[in-house]
Amino acid sequence: MEDYTSTFLALNSLWKEGKKPEFTRLMQESLSTACDPYKLVSVCIKLSPDLFKNRSSGMPANIIIELMSFLGKGNYHKYEHCLHEAFQVDMFQVAVRQKNVGLMRLFVKAFQLERIKVLLLPHIQEMMRQGQLKEVATLATLLNLQDEFSTEDLIVPLFLQDRLSLADEFLLTSPRHQKEILAFIDSIIGKQVNINDLHKTYKIKDPKKVKSSKMLCNTVAKLLKKFDLDVSICPHMQKHRARGALRYIFYKYYIEKGIQIQAFQSLIDDALKESPHLGPDLMHLFDEYHDLEAAVPYARKLQLQPDDIPKRLKEVISASPHLADGHMDAASDKQLEEEECWDEGRLNFYSLNVPLEEVVIVTSVEEFTKCMSVLTESPLIAIDSEWKPTFGIGSAEQAALLQMATQSRAFLLDLVALQPLLEVPHWACIGQLFSNPKITKIGYGIKGDFKILAKLHSEVKKGFANAKNVVDLDQIKGILIEDYPDIFPHSSSNYKGLTDLVYRCFGLPLDKTEQFSNWAARPLMKSQLRYATMDVVCLIDIHTFLDKKAQELNIEDWQNIKPKKGKEKVKKDRTIKKQIPMTNEDVQAKVMNREPILAADLQVICDTMVQGLAKKLRCCGIDAEALETGESCDKCIEYYEKEKRIVLTKGSAYDRLSKFIPSSFIYKVQKESANQQVEEIINVFNVKVTTKDIFARCPKCNSASYLFVPSRIIRALKENTSEKSDISMTDSDTDNWVQCEGGEVNLSSGCTRQGIPVVVAGIADAIISKTETFYVCAQCGKCYWDGSHYKRIINSTLSDIVQGSSNEALQGE
């Protein structure tokens, strides 16, 4: 046998000195000359001083990566005879001592341990008996041994110990276990669980979660969504949530008094239709809220057993047989009488200024066509939608009404009636309305409406995806309150949402009585129609009001207003972002396998706990978004679902987010300082950072696009901006453009073609004199140049993680 100790000593010396290119070259040379490359790797791994430091970018990991690279060059079959079972078992024993899943994955793949999984199975079963559940779940997944482990023995203990996230990959690749763990959790919902017995067996971490039906239901709902399974496989969760929904309807009606009688009855009727088992619960709720007379019609209609009817209700039924068929008729008649009057709104609320004859209820194809012809000719359209509350049970929310208004008319599209009638061209009309840049669309929280309406048809979804000239008054309200509070004549502290905005503008709130209503029931009540019309017409009124006030206060382009300097949350411009060579699928695979990944290919989102980390990662060329101060950590879930970004967080936020995001795509940062955190992320995710990645992204806004601007232009811009404080574009500026690599700059206004001011005020004249080219961020206008800051980063801050060489260097102004 060859002695590979000398090879290891040479490799170790290069590794300690940080000479990674030389390390790679020597490793490949040694592998190509070795009689047994596997033996060489084994020796070097075992002698590595950081073997059990669990670093996916440490020396052992890099040795294995070099082996895989060598074998991938057509050498698999040549050295296959070296990969015997005894050697593989030996490597398995080293692998199981690794706490780093990515490193363990490398061992399994490089030494083809799946080929001897039957031989390894007893070892893994022994690990399970010793309570190493995390390691067992990982190895079972990597070796494709899921069928050898029962849900009861492996997954249930992890769930009861509040460690189910450790089995994410296991469950994602095993549909049988998905259904079985869901069946187990569902089976204990609403039941008396003997915590003491379970604790002795499983060492339950949080008994409250096992005893709380609400928490169990939430867990089931998240797993159903994650695994894309039908809710019908969890009947106990459905029943529990149906009872909760019914109780909430009673609370809204009797305590908050936020539901009209007709809506109350309609929601109860629908609940009984969807969940017939709710009859006894309904009787007890009427008893609890001391409205026994209202319960009598339901008791007769549902033909309940005597044991399902409370004693007091039985007495009322016997004493008042005339109530059996009443169904709250007297109250209903009074309600209907009140609804007959369209024009008389409730006192002390903002009133509707559109007469009934100007409100078109669209229920046919002919009416739809006429409606679209009017809307496509209007320069301004307000949009809102309504749907029946689902309480988290049954099918997802479905839009029942789409309201659109111009400055003179309002249209209520009855989607319940229209859906069976409309064809592809009709749906395309709605989509084109939203993608038409010539029509301004206004809404409040309009993304929520888009999300629900997109389910109507693929053509509608396509239109929303390409929506242009959309104004969300919800976002604009926050900016105006913060930066231009004088635009509102009234202040508000008691209202929320659209009602708050209406009050700030007009001094009266909206009447939201019908907000919680059964919008899927037909026919719609006049009170519902009035509410739906008000919700969309008030948007037109607000737009007119703000337009006038903005002119009085000289607030330019208020519809597209941005927060003042220092407050803006910059979003990436996908149109100017450099092309990424890897597909999303390739990147996701590398992340899950903790395989080496280029800095330019990694996408992360930093929550508010690690905001400073985002800027540091951008300095390394990593696409790093960050939540704004005050934003909920739940926004990270959206980033993961939409862009498959890795979520970086700290503290308790990790415990919450890890319930929604696979373990491969969320990481709990351990270090405290931002510089230490950068090195931690680079190592954990095995990121390859080269000198060309340094400052490849703007640390301020995360853009990857720059304009290369000569120093003479920077000097001219600085002289111009010092002469005039207002650098907004004027008619005389239109011809004063100069072409630079990557874009154009206007010498008079100091802006790029995208209207971004080039930030030159802080650049010293001495810097301009000795610098040939400046790099201007195309998204925020910040200037960078070749300087000493780059060298300091390479030689000190990031010296341990930067590889390669490049002549590119940027210095921030």
Side-chain angles (χ1 to χ4, degrees):
M1 295 295 294
E2 290 185 69
D3 181 5
Y4 296 117
T5 305
S6 59
T7 303
F8 164 75
L9 293 174
L11 289 169
N12 190 46
S13 176
L14 292 173
W15 183 262
K16 285 183 177 180
E17 295 173 10
K19 298 179 178 179
K20 293 184 181 178
E22 291 83 354
F23 174 89
T24 297
R25 185 164 52 251
L26 178 58
M27 190 73 215
Q28 291 297 322
E29 290 174 358
S30 302
L31 289 168
S32 62
T33 58
C35 296
D36 187 345
Y38 288 105
K39 183 66 176 178
L40 165 63
V41 168
S42 172
V43 170
C44 292
I45 286 175
K46 292 179 178 179
L47 291 174
S48 295
D50 57 349
L51 174 57
F52 299 112
K53 292 184 178 180
N54 304 309
R55 295 175 60 189
S56 56
S57 61
M59 185 176 175
N62 278 269
I63 291 172
I64 296 176
I65 290 169
E66 295 302 331
L67 171 65
M68 294 170 67
S69 174
F70 171 74
L71 295 173
K73 299 174 183 177
N75 292 315
Y76 271 112
H77 296 298
K78 182 177 179 181
Y79 296 101
E80 191 172 11
H81 66 281
C82 301
L83 202 61
H84 50 83
E85 287 186 355
F87 173 78
Q88 288 176 298
V89 171
D90 183 44
M91 286 296 96
F92 171 79
Q93 297 292 356
V94 177
V96 296
R97 295 178 61 188
Q98 306 299 321
K99 300 298 182 184
N100 186 298
V101 175
L103 194 52
M104 189 183 295
R105 196 184 305 275
L106 286 175
F107 273 90
V108 171
K109 188 173 182 180
F111 302 114
Q112 303 179 44
L113 299 184
E114 189 176 352
R115 287 169 45 178
I116 61 165
K117 63 181 182 181
V118 176
L119 185 64
L120 299 177
L121 181 58
H123 297 271
I124 302 174
Q125 290 172 332
E126 178 59 30
M127 291 171 65
M128 189 166 72
R129 284 190 286 271
Q130 295 174 4
Q132 297 175 261
L133 301 181
K134 173 186 174 182
E135 292 76 9
V136 170
T138 301
L139 288 168
T141 306
L142 296 177
L143 298 174
N144 197 22
L145 286 171
Q146 292 96 323
D147 289 340
E148 302 297 329
F149 298 91
S150 70
T151 301
E152 182 181 359
D153 292 335
L154 179 59
I155 309 301
V156 169
L158 284 172
F159 163 71
L160 293 173
Q161 295 171 18
D162 202 19
R163 302 165 67 206
L164 189 59
S165 60
L166 299 178
D168 272 352
E169 288 188 57
F170 182 102
L171 289 170
L172 286 171
T173 54
S174 180
R176 175 175 70 86
H177 290 88
Q178 294 172 9
K179 295 177 181 177
E180 288 177 354
I181 187 59
L182 279 165
F184 171 79
I185 301 173
D186 186 66
S187 69
I188 60 176
I189 291 175
K191 293 186 177 180
Q192 292 293 329
V193 179
N194 192 322
I195 296 296
N196 292 330
D197 289 347
L198 287 175
H199 188 69
K200 291 177 183 177
T201 307
Y202 298 111
K203 297 180 181 179
I204 298 175
K205 183 177 181 180
D206 188 355
K208 290 182 180 179
K209 289 188 176 181
V210 180
K211 295 176 69 175
S212 170
S213 294
K214 182 179 179 179
M215 290 185 176
L216 293 173
C217 284
N218 290 341
T219 300
V220 168
K222 292 166 190 172
L223 293 177
L224 287 170
K225 182 179 180 181
K226 179 185 287 187
F227 303 141
D228 194 22
L229 295 174
D230 192 272
V231 69
S232 62
I233 67 174
C234 299
H236 293 95
M237 187 270 283
Q238 283 185 289
K239 290 180 180 179
H240 182 81
R241 285 202 162 177
R243 292 190 190 100
L246 187 63
R247 179 170 288 277
Y248 184 64
I249 293 170
F250 271 72
Y251 174 81
K252 291 287 288 186
Y253 180 70
Y254 286 102
I255 304 301
E256 287 192 354
K257 302 189 184 303
I259 313 179
Q260 300 292 341
I261 293 175
Q262 291 286 69
F264 177 66
Q265 292 177 345
S266 179
L267 288 169
I268 287 179
D269 289 342
D270 276 11
L272 292 172
K273 184 178 179 181
E274 295 169 4
S275 306
H277 62 84
L278 289 176
D281 298 278
L282 180 65
M283 296 301 102
H284 286 284
L285 281 170
F286 276 120
D287 185 27
E288 181 181 332
Y289 283 92
H290 305 287
D291 195 357
L292 298 174
E293 291 187 357
V296 175
Y298 288 105
R300 293 289 177 86
K301 180 182 176 181
L302 296 173
Q303 298 181 347
L304 298 173
Q305 297 297 319
D307 292 343
D308 294 330
I309 302 175
K311 181 180 178 181
R312 292 196 303 166
L313 179 55
K314 291 178 183 177
E315 295 172 355
V316 173
I317 293 174
S318 301
S320 308
H322 64 283
L323 294 174
D325 300 317
H327 202 260
M328 303 171 82
D329 284 338
S332 298
D333 290 342
K334 182 180 178 182
Q335 175 72 30
L336 289 171
E337 288 176 8
E338 292 175 353
E339 291 167 2
E340 287 303 314
C341 185
W342 171 273
D343 297 314
E344 292 184 10
R346 294 172 64 190
L347 296 176
N348 302 320
F349 287 97
Y350 187 66
S351 60
L352 182 64
N353 57 13
V354 177
L356 176 59
E357 56 268 19
E358 295 298 333
V359 178
V360 181
I361 302 173
V362 181
T363 59
S364 68
V365 174
E366 182 181 0
E367 292 168 335
F368 176 85
T369 304
K370 291 179 181 178
C371 165
M372 286 295 116
S373 65
V374 173
L375 292 173
T376 52
E377 294 299 321
S378 175
L380 178 69
I381 298 174
I383 296 157
D384 192 31
S385 60
E386 308 294 342
W387 55 88
K388 173 191 168 185
T390 62
F391 310 103
I393 58 176
S395 58
E397 295 95 342
Q398 294 182 333
L401 194 69
L402 171 58
Q403 308 104 278
M404 291 191 278
T406 66
Q407 290 176 317
S408 58
R409 303 188 70 182
F411 298 90
L412 307 183
L413 279 66
D414 186 346
L415 298 174
V416 175
L418 289 173
Q419 272 195 287
L421 305 176
L422 299 187
E423 298 179 353
V424 174
H426 301 119
W427 295 115
C429 284
I430 298 177
Q432 290 162 11
L433 201 65
F434 288 94
S435 60
N436 188 342
K438 296 180 180 180
I439 302 174
T440 301
K441 280 77 62 175
I442 58 174
Y444 191 92
I446 201 167
K447 287 184 179 179
D449 295 296
F450 280 6
K451 183 178 179 181
I452 300 298
L453 293 170
K455 301 174 185 177
L456 292 171
H457 195 276
S458 59
E459 289 295 329
V460 178
K461 185 176 182 180
K462 185 192 302 182
F464 290 160
N466 298 300
K468 297 178 179 66
N469 199 2
V470 177
V471 179
D472 191 341
L473 293 176
D474 182 19
Q475 296 180 1
I476 289 175
K477 179 185 77 171
I479 298 173
L480 293 176
I481 291 173
E482 183 71 22
D483 297 337
Y484 304 95
D486 292 341
I487 198 171
F488 297 112
H490 306 277
S491 60
S492 167
S493 60
N494 299 324
Y495 302 107
K496 296 180 180 179
L498 180 57
T499 301
D500 172 71
L501 181 55
V502 170
Y503 185 88
R504 288 178 184 274
C505 294
F506 308 115
L508 289 171
L510 284 177
D511 180 2
K512 304 295 283 186
T513 306
E514 291 292 344
Q515 182 179 30
F516 192 88
S517 184
N518 190 353
W519 292 99
R522 292 297 180 272
L524 291 171
M525 298 178 293
K526 277 193 177 180
S527 60
Q528 289 178 295
L529 297 176
R530 186 169 55 240
Y531 169 87
T533 305
M534 174 65 82
D535 250 19
V536 71
V537 169
C538 76
L539 298 175
I540 296 289
D541 295 344
I542 292 169
H543 185 275
T544 303
F545 173 84
L546 291 177
D547 209 34
K548 180 180 178 181
K549 293 292 290 184
Q551 291 181 27
E552 294 175 0
L553 298 173
N554 295 319
I555 302 175
E556 296 182 2
D557 195 16
W558 69 269
Q559 294 183 153
N560 298 302
I561 197 167
K562 303 294 182 185
K564 289 184 178 179
K565 187 175 181 181
K567 299 177 181 178
E568 181 176 2
K569 180 182 178 180
V570 184
K571 295 184 178 179
K572 296 190 303 299
D573 182 351
R574 298 288 183 182
T575 62
I576 62 174
K577 184 178 175 181
K578 65 182 182 181
Q579 190 66 32
I580 296 177
M582 293 183 64
T583 65
N584 286 340
E585 291 76 15
D586 290 337
V587 173
Q588 291 176 38
K590 282 182 173 289
V591 169
M592 292 185 67
N593 297 329
R594 293 295 191 265
E595 295 177 3
I597 184 171
L598 299 176
D601 293 329
L602 187 65
Q603 292 182 307
V604 303
I605 170 67
C606 299
D607 81 349
T608 52
M609 300 296 293
V610 286
Q611 280 177 323
L613 173 60
K615 290 186 177 181
K616 297 290 184 180
L617 292 175
R618 293 167 189 166
C619 289
C620 298
I622 294 172
D623 183 350
E625 290 284 27
L627 297 187
E628 292 292 305
T629 301
E631 277 193 293
S632 169
C633 66
D634 289 352
K635 290 282 289 184
C636 292
I637 301 172
E638 295 180 22
Y639 276 96
Y640 164 71
E641 292 178 343
K642 293 177 182 178
E643 303 180 32
K644 289 296 181 285
R645 287 182 179 271
I646 295 170
V647 176
L648 304 180
T649 183
K650 278 178 74 74
S652 60
Y654 174 84
D655 298 327
R656 171 171 174 73
L657 294 173
S658 62
K659 298 175 182 178
F660 301 90
I661 301 171
S663 57
S664 300
F665 285 86
I666 183 169
Y667 179 74
K668 187 175 184 179
V669 180
Q670 304 296 319
K671 303 294 184 181
E672 293 300 326
S673 74
N675 287 333
Q676 292 176 327
Q677 290 172 352
V678 171
E679 185 172 3
E680 179 184 355
I681 299 304
I682 297 297
N683 291 334
V684 168
F685 290 96
N686 207 358
V687 184
K688 301 300 180 184
V689 181
T690 63
T691 51
K692 69 180 181 180
D693 295 315
I694 304 303
F695 289 111
R697 286 186 171 274
C698 173
K700 179 182 177 182
C701 73
N702 197 37
S703 171
S705 295
Y706 292 93
L707 281 73
F708 297 81
V709 183
S711 59
R712 58 182 175 80
I713 296 177
I714 295 294
R715 185 180 297 280
L717 291 174
K718 187 177 181 183
E719 291 173 354
N720 288 343
T721 54
S722 64
E723 293 173 1
K724 56 179 182 178
S725 59
D726 181 9
I727 61 170
S728 59
M729 187 73 70
T730 64
D731 292 338
S732 62
D733 297 336
T734 55
D735 295 324
N736 205 5
W737 291 99
V738 291
Q739 182 69 43
C740 304
E741 184 180 347
E744 292 178 289
V745 176
N746 191 284
L747 292 178
S748 297
S749 69
C751 296
T752 67
R753 277 289 186 189
Q754 289 73 36
I756 305 298
V758 179
V759 184
V760 297
I763 307 177
D765 292 337
I767 295 294
I768 299 176
S769 299
K770 67 180 182 181
T771 302
E772 182 178 344
T773 303
F774 287 80
Y775 310 96
V776 178
C777 176
Q779 190 159 280
C780 70
K782 188 174 175 66
C783 293
Y784 302 89
W785 59 91
D786 294 342
S788 59
H789 185 45
Y790 171 85
K791 295 178 181 178
R792 288 199 301 271
I793 286 182
I794 294 296
N795 296 329
S796 58
T797 310
L798 303 178
S799 59
D800 293 332
I801 59 178
V802 179
Q803 306 173 15
S805 62
S806 172
N807 294 324
E808 296 178 28
L810 300 179
Q811 171 72 38
E813 58 107 326

